[in-house]
Amino acid sequence: MTLTLRLLDHCVLPVPDLATARARYEALGFTVAPQGTHPFGTINSCVYFADDTFLEPLAIGDAIKVAEAIESRNVFVARDALYRQAVGADGFSALVFKTDDAMADHAGFDEADFSAGPVLDFSRAFVDPKGRSGKVSFRLAFAAEPTSDAAYFFTCQRIEAPALAGRAALETHRNGVAGIAGVTLTAVDPQAQEAFLSTLANGPVGRANGALSAHLGNSRLAIEPADGPLRLAAIHFAVADIDATAEALAAGDVVFEREGGKLTVRPASGQGAIFTFEDRS
């Protein structure tokens, strides 16, 4: 049977507050969308890319609603709380994949013993860039490595999602980022994560120099050796002009390291993961 590689949808990055995150992402040269509000107490301000992926800086907007959601077995909120307790308020907690059938994904995760809990259905209001309001609805299926204390993963099915008119402005960034080229995870023993990585990618896994790698339909994943449990560590962005990206980072007073066609920005307040910018010209 031929497997269909999963498509990356977005990265979830806990932040202490959206104002701090917005300031950091704007300094990095990103265009940041207005606040979105979940019905279970979390809030976000997303960064959208032309390749139909995005970043989701996530903060606590209503602690009472969050507590109620955890009590009702809302996996998204419960795993976010677990991450904040284990790692801190700044970080990279979840990797999300596109899907047309979250219920089938849930069944597959459960069969592989990687399910992180029940499917979540929810809706929220939105306002598009032209000021028109509407409602979007989603169904999420969750996975986690059984010994993980923080990192989690889910597939996201858009049940009701009207096209956003005029979102091109939100997908245009001063740093030139066009999309997410890849994500790197770390673990003390990457080889032990082979079955899990294969389940996430829905495809084969490669081995080299103690690390694992897997291709997605629109990106790549890797697990590299490092002390500690499984963690999401770095996000790699594709850019067309690395010199222009370097200028944008410098303009925002962002400290970076340069090695050939790659720029590396270490985590900072409001940015809980390593960011690299890779020349794809």
Side-chain angles (χ1 to χ4, degrees):
M1 181 178 67
T2 302
L3 297 176
T4 301
L5 298 177
R6 295 195 201 278
L7 296 174
L8 180 65
D9 191 69
H10 69 279
C11 304
V12 181
L13 298 117
V15 296
D17 62 85
L18 290 186
T20 299
R22 179 177 292 276
R24 178 61 177 175
Y25 280 89
E26 289 176 347
L28 286 159
F30 291 111
T31 301
V32 186
Q35 178 181 310
T37 301
H38 296 138
F40 32 76
T42 48
I43 54 178
N44 62 28
S45 284
C46 296
V47 177
Y48 296 103
F49 302 119
D51 69 346
D52 198 30
T53 63
F54 65 98
L55 305 178
E56 183 183 12
L58 185 76
I60 305 301
D62 187 325
I64 293 176
K65 285 186 177 180
V66 164
E68 292 171 348
I70 293 172
E71 184 69 22
S72 65
R73 298 188 69 204
N74 180 313
V75 180
F76 179 79
V77 176
R79 295 293 303 205
D80 177 70
L82 181 63
Y83 185 94
R84 292 173 189 270
Q85 180 179 8
V87 180
D90 268 309
F92 181 8
S93 61
L95 196 61
V96 189
F97 306 93
K98 301 179 189 299
T99 188
D100 294 324
D101 192 342
M103 295 305 296
D105 296 332
H106 173 70
F109 294 152
D110 195 43
E111 183 178 357
D113 293 326
F114 294 135
S115 174
V119 168
L120 173 65
D121 287 282
F122 75 96
S123 300
R124 67 170 178 83
F126 78 94
V127 177
D128 74 13
K130 292 190 175 182
R132 292 175 292 196
S133 61
K135 183 181 76 170
V136 288
S137 301
F138 305 95
R139 176 170 293 151
L140 313 182
F142 298 92
E145 199 278 328
T147 63
S148 171
D149 63 345
Y152 67 108
F153 307 81
F154 58 93
T155 61
C156 178
Q157 180 181 358
R158 289 170 170 81
I159 303 298
E160 181 182 356
L164 285 178
R167 202 171 82 173
L170 294 177
E171 296 172 348
T172 302
H173 305 281
R174 181 165 48 85
N175 57 24
V177 170
I180 299 175
V183 170
T184 296
L185 300 87
T186 60
V188 67
D189 181 11
Q191 310 299 325
Q193 306 294 334
E194 183 170 356
F196 185 59
L197 182 60
S198 179
T199 298
L200 291 181
N202 205 35
V205 171
R207 292 174 173 238
N209 302 318
L212 300 179
S213 61
H215 290 288
L216 301 176
N218 61 347
S219 191
R220 69 177 190 270
L221 298 180
I223 304 180
E224 297 180 351
D227 291 339
L230 184 69
R231 290 280 192 266
L232 290 152
I235 302 172
H236 312 291
F237 302 103
V239 299
D241 185 338
I242 200 70
D243 292 328
T245 302
E247 290 177 6
L249 295 176
D253 291 326
V254 172
V255 176
F256 62 91
E257 303 155 24
R258 181 164 187 168
E259 183 178 355
K262 183 174 79 171
L263 311 176
T264 300
V265 179
R266 301 296 172 182
S269 182
Q271 175 206 331
I274 296 169
F275 286 175
T276 72
F277 301 84
E278 303 177 356
D279 192 343
R280 293 302 177 90
S281 57

